mmCIF file with all atom_site columns, all heavy atoms in Angstrom:
data_model
loop_
_atom_site.group_PDB
_atom_site.id
_atom_site.type_symbol
_atom_site.label_atom_id
_atom_site.label_alt_id
_atom_site.label_comp_id
_atom_site.label_asym_id
_atom_site.label_entity_id
_atom_site.label_seq_id
_atom_site.pdbx_PDB_ins_code
_atom_site.Cartn_x
_atom_site.Cartn_y
_atom_site.Cartn_z
_atom_site.occupancy
_atom_site.B_iso_or_equiv
_atom_site.pdbx_formal_charge
_atom_site.auth_seq_id
_atom_site.auth_comp_id
_atom_site.auth_asym_id
_atom_site.auth_atom_id
_atom_site.pdbx_PDB_model_num
ATOM 1  N N   . ALA A 1 229 ? -5.523  -16.790 -39.212 1.00 85.00 ? 241 ALA A N   1
ATOM 2  C CA  . ALA A 1 229 ? -6.294  -17.997 -39.563 1.00 85.00 ? 241 ALA A CA  1
ATOM 3  C C   . ALA A 1 229 ? -7.785  -17.771 -39.401 1.00 85.00 ? 241 ALA A C   1
ATOM 4  O O   . ALA A 1 229 ? -8.596  -18.200 -40.224 1.00 85.00 ? 241 ALA A O   1
ATOM 5  C CB  . ALA A 1 229 ? -5.831  -19.169 -38.710 1.00 85.00 ? 241 ALA A CB  1
ATOM 6  N N   . GLU A 1 230 ? -8.151  -17.082 -38.306 1.00 84.00 ? 242 GLU A N   1
ATOM 7  C CA  . GLU A 1 230 ? -9.572  -16.786 -38.069 1.00 84.00 ? 242 GLU A CA  1
ATOM 8  C C   . GLU A 1 230 ? -10.139 -15.918 -39.181 1.00 84.00 ? 242 GLU A C   1
ATOM 9  O O   . GLU A 1 230 ? -11.254 -16.158 -39.667 1.00 84.00 ? 242 GLU A O   1
ATOM 10 C CB  . GLU A 1 230 ? -9.751  -16.116 -36.717 1.00 84.00 ? 242 GLU A CB  1
ATOM 11 C CG  . GLU A 1 230 ? -9.496  -17.028 -35.519 1.00 84.00 ? 242 GLU A CG  1
ATOM 12 C CD  . GLU A 1 230 ? -9.610  -16.300 -34.207 1.00 84.00 ? 242 GLU A CD  1
ATOM 13 O OE1 . GLU A 1 230 ? -9.690  -15.047 -34.248 1.00 84.00 ? 242 GLU A OE1 1
ATOM 14 O OE2 . GLU A 1 230 ? -9.596  -16.970 -33.147 1.00 84.00 ? 242 GLU A OE2 1
ATOM 15 N N   . LYS A 1 231 ? -9.384  -14.921 -39.584 1.00 84.00 ? 243 LYS A N   1
ATOM 16 C CA  . LYS A 1 231 ? -9.857  -14.038 -40.645 1.00 84.00 ? 243 LYS A CA  1
ATOM 17 C C   . LYS A 1 231 ? -9.969  -14.788 -41.984 1.00 84.00 ? 243 LYS A C   1
ATOM 18 O O   . LYS A 1 231 ? -10.918 -14.590 -42.755 1.00 84.00 ? 243 LYS A O   1
ATOM 19 C CB  . LYS A 1 231 ? -8.925  -12.852 -40.809 1.00 84.00 ? 243 LYS A CB  1
ATOM 20 C CG  . LYS A 1 231 ? -8.986  -11.870 -39.631 1.00 84.00 ? 243 LYS A CG  1
ATOM 21 C CD  . LYS A 1 231 ? -10.400 -11.351 -39.441 1.00 84.00 ? 243 LYS A CD  1
ATOM 22 C CE  . LYS A 1 231 ? -10.496 -10.397 -38.260 1.00 84.00 ? 243 LYS A CE  1
ATOM 23 N NZ  . LYS A 1 231 ? -11.898 -9.928  -38.040 1.00 84.00 ? 243 LYS A NZ  1
ATOM 24 N N   . GLN A 1 232 ? -8.988  -15.667 -42.255 1.00 85.00 ? 244 GLN A N   1
ATOM 25 C CA  . GLN A 1 232 ? -9.075  -16.471 -43.461 1.00 85.00 ? 244 GLN A CA  1
ATOM 26 C C   . GLN A 1 232 ? -10.297 -17.379 -43.407 1.00 85.00 ? 244 GLN A C   1
ATOM 27 O O   . GLN A 1 232 ? -10.996 -17.555 -44.431 1.00 85.00 ? 244 GLN A O   1
ATOM 28 C CB  . GLN A 1 232 ? -7.791  -17.298 -43.636 1.00 85.00 ? 244 GLN A CB  1
ATOM 29 C CG  . GLN A 1 232 ? -6.582  -16.439 -43.999 1.00 85.00 ? 244 GLN A CG  1
ATOM 30 C CD  . GLN A 1 232 ? -5.328  -17.262 -44.107 1.00 85.00 ? 244 GLN A CD  1
ATOM 31 O OE1 . GLN A 1 232 ? -5.299  -18.457 -43.831 1.00 85.00 ? 244 GLN A OE1 1
ATOM 32 N NE2 . GLN A 1 232 ? -4.230  -16.623 -44.547 1.00 85.00 ? 244 GLN A NE2 1
ATOM 33 N N   . ALA A 1 233 ? -10.504 -17.997 -42.251 1.00 85.00 ? 245 ALA A N   1
ATOM 34 C CA  . ALA A 1 233 ? -11.693 -18.875 -42.108 1.00 85.00 ? 245 ALA A CA  1
ATOM 35 C C   . ALA A 1 233 ? -12.967 -18.080 -42.328 1.00 85.00 ? 245 ALA A C   1
ATOM 36 O O   . ALA A 1 233 ? -13.913 -18.548 -42.952 1.00 85.00 ? 245 ALA A O   1
ATOM 37 C CB  . ALA A 1 233 ? -11.675 -19.529 -40.747 1.00 85.00 ? 245 ALA A CB  1
ATOM 38 N N   . GLU A 1 234 ? -13.012 -16.841 -41.776 1.00 85.00 ? 246 GLU A N   1
ATOM 39 C CA  . GLU A 1 234 ? -14.180 -16.018 -41.953 1.00 85.00 ? 246 GLU A CA  1
ATOM 40 C C   . GLU A 1 234 ? -14.360 -15.678 -43.420 1.00 85.00 ? 246 GLU A C   1
ATOM 41 O O   . GLU A 1 234 ? -15.487 -15.662 -43.950 1.00 85.00 ? 246 GLU A O   1
ATOM 42 C CB  . GLU A 1 234 ? -14.039 -14.732 -41.136 1.00 85.00 ? 246 GLU A CB  1
ATOM 43 C CG  . GLU A 1 234 ? -14.149 -14.956 -39.628 1.00 85.00 ? 246 GLU A CG  1
ATOM 44 C CD  . GLU A 1 234 ? -13.976 -13.652 -38.856 1.00 85.00 ? 246 GLU A CD  1
ATOM 45 O OE1 . GLU A 1 234 ? -13.772 -12.602 -39.491 1.00 85.00 ? 246 GLU A OE1 1
ATOM 46 O OE2 . GLU A 1 234 ? -14.033 -13.722 -37.603 1.00 85.00 ? 246 GLU A OE2 1
ATOM 47 N N   . ALA A 1 235 ? -13.225 -15.419 -44.136 1.00 86.00 ? 247 ALA A N   1
ATOM 48 C CA  . ALA A 1 235 ? -13.346 -15.111 -45.576 1.00 86.00 ? 247 ALA A CA  1
ATOM 49 C C   . ALA A 1 235 ? -13.847 -16.327 -46.347 1.00 86.00 ? 247 ALA A C   1
ATOM 50 O O   . ALA A 1 235 ? -14.724 -16.189 -47.224 1.00 86.00 ? 247 ALA A O   1
ATOM 51 C CB  . ALA A 1 235 ? -11.988 -14.688 -46.111 1.00 86.00 ? 247 ALA A CB  1
ATOM 52 N N   . VAL A 1 236 ? -13.342 -17.519 -46.016 1.00 84.00 ? 248 VAL A N   1
ATOM 53 C CA  . VAL A 1 236 ? -13.826 -18.739 -46.678 1.00 84.00 ? 248 VAL A CA  1
ATOM 54 C C   . VAL A 1 236 ? -15.301 -18.940 -46.410 1.00 84.00 ? 248 VAL A C   1
ATOM 55 O O   . VAL A 1 236 ? -16.081 -19.318 -47.277 1.00 84.00 ? 248 VAL A O   1
ATOM 56 C CB  . VAL A 1 236 ? -12.994 -19.950 -46.224 1.00 84.00 ? 248 VAL A CB  1
ATOM 57 C CG1 . VAL A 1 236 ? -13.599 -21.259 -46.716 1.00 84.00 ? 248 VAL A CG1 1
ATOM 58 C CG2 . VAL A 1 236 ? -11.558 -19.847 -46.695 1.00 84.00 ? 248 VAL A CG2 1
ATOM 59 N N   . LYS A 1 237 ? -15.693 -18.693 -45.157 1.00 85.00 ? 249 LYS A N   1
ATOM 60 C CA  . LYS A 1 237 ? -17.094 -18.848 -44.801 1.00 85.00 ? 249 LYS A CA  1
ATOM 61 C C   . LYS A 1 237 ? -17.990 -17.880 -45.586 1.00 85.00 ? 249 LYS A C   1
ATOM 62 O O   . LYS A 1 237 ? -19.058 -18.233 -46.083 1.00 85.00 ? 249 LYS A O   1
ATOM 63 C CB  . LYS A 1 237 ? -17.266 -18.619 -43.289 1.00 85.00 ? 249 LYS A CB  1
ATOM 64 C CG  . LYS A 1 237 ? -18.697 -18.770 -42.825 1.00 85.00 ? 249 LYS A CG  1
ATOM 65 C CD  . LYS A 1 237 ? -18.817 -18.540 -41.331 1.00 85.00 ? 249 LYS A CD  1
ATOM 66 C CE  . LYS A 1 237 ? -20.264 -18.686 -40.884 1.00 85.00 ? 249 LYS A CE  1
ATOM 67 N NZ  . LYS A 1 237 ? -20.421 -18.415 -39.441 1.00 85.00 ? 249 LYS A NZ  1
ATOM 68 N N   . VAL A 1 238 ? -17.513 -16.618 -45.694 1.00 85.00 ? 250 VAL A N   1
ATOM 69 C CA  . VAL A 1 238 ? -18.280 -15.633 -46.452 1.00 85.00 ? 250 VAL A CA  1
ATOM 70 C C   . VAL A 1 238 ? -18.389 -16.042 -47.903 1.00 85.00 ? 250 VAL A C   1
ATOM 71 O O   . VAL A 1 238 ? -19.468 -15.951 -48.547 1.00 85.00 ? 250 VAL A O   1
ATOM 72 C CB  . VAL A 1 238 ? -17.613 -14.250 -46.295 1.00 85.00 ? 250 VAL A CB  1
ATOM 73 C CG1 . VAL A 1 238 ? -18.271 -13.264 -47.262 1.00 85.00 ? 250 VAL A CG1 1
ATOM 74 C CG2 . VAL A 1 238 ? -17.763 -13.759 -44.862 1.00 85.00 ? 250 VAL A CG2 1
ATOM 75 N N   . ALA A 1 239 ? -17.257 -16.546 -48.470 1.00 84.00 ? 251 ALA A N   1
ATOM 76 C CA  . ALA A 1 239 ? -17.283 -16.975 -49.898 1.00 84.00 ? 251 ALA A CA  1
ATOM 77 C C   . ALA A 1 239 ? -18.236 -18.155 -50.066 1.00 84.00 ? 251 ALA A C   1
ATOM 78 O O   . ALA A 1 239 ? -19.001 -18.246 -51.040 1.00 84.00 ? 251 ALA A O   1
ATOM 79 C CB  . ALA A 1 239 ? -15.871 -17.349 -50.338 1.00 84.00 ? 251 ALA A CB  1
ATOM 80 N N   . ALA A 1 240 ? -18.166 -19.113 -49.087 1.00 84.00 ? 252 ALA A N   1
ATOM 81 C CA  . ALA A 1 240 ? -19.049 -20.261 -49.163 1.00 84.00 ? 252 ALA A CA  1
ATOM 82 C C   . ALA A 1 240 ? -20.514 -19.837 -49.045 1.00 84.00 ? 252 ALA A C   1
ATOM 83 O O   . ALA A 1 240 ? -21.390 -20.369 -49.770 1.00 84.00 ? 252 ALA A O   1
ATOM 84 C CB  . ALA A 1 240 ? -18.685 -21.280 -48.062 1.00 84.00 ? 252 ALA A CB  1
ATOM 85 N N   . ASP A 1 241 ? -20.787 -18.890 -48.119 1.00 83.00 ? 253 ASP A N   1
ATOM 86 C CA  . ASP A 1 241 ? -22.137 -18.394 -48.007 1.00 83.00 ? 253 ASP A CA  1
ATOM 87 C C   . ASP A 1 241 ? -22.631 -17.735 -49.284 1.00 83.00 ? 253 ASP A C   1
ATOM 88 O O   . ASP A 1 241 ? -23.785 -17.918 -49.713 1.00 83.00 ? 253 ASP A O   1
ATOM 89 C CB  . ASP A 1 241 ? -22.242 -17.412 -46.816 1.00 83.00 ? 253 ASP A CB  1
ATOM 90 C CG  . ASP A 1 241 ? -22.029 -18.110 -45.482 1.00 83.00 ? 253 ASP A CG  1
ATOM 91 O OD1 . ASP A 1 241 ? -22.210 -19.347 -45.448 1.00 83.00 ? 253 ASP A OD1 1
ATOM 92 O OD2 . ASP A 1 241 ? -21.748 -17.412 -44.496 1.00 83.00 ? 253 ASP A OD2 1
#
Side-chain angles (χ1 to χ4, degrees):
E242 290 177 351
K243 291 302 179 182
Q244 290 178 353
E246 290 179 2
V248 171
K249 181 180 178 182
V250 171
D253 292 341

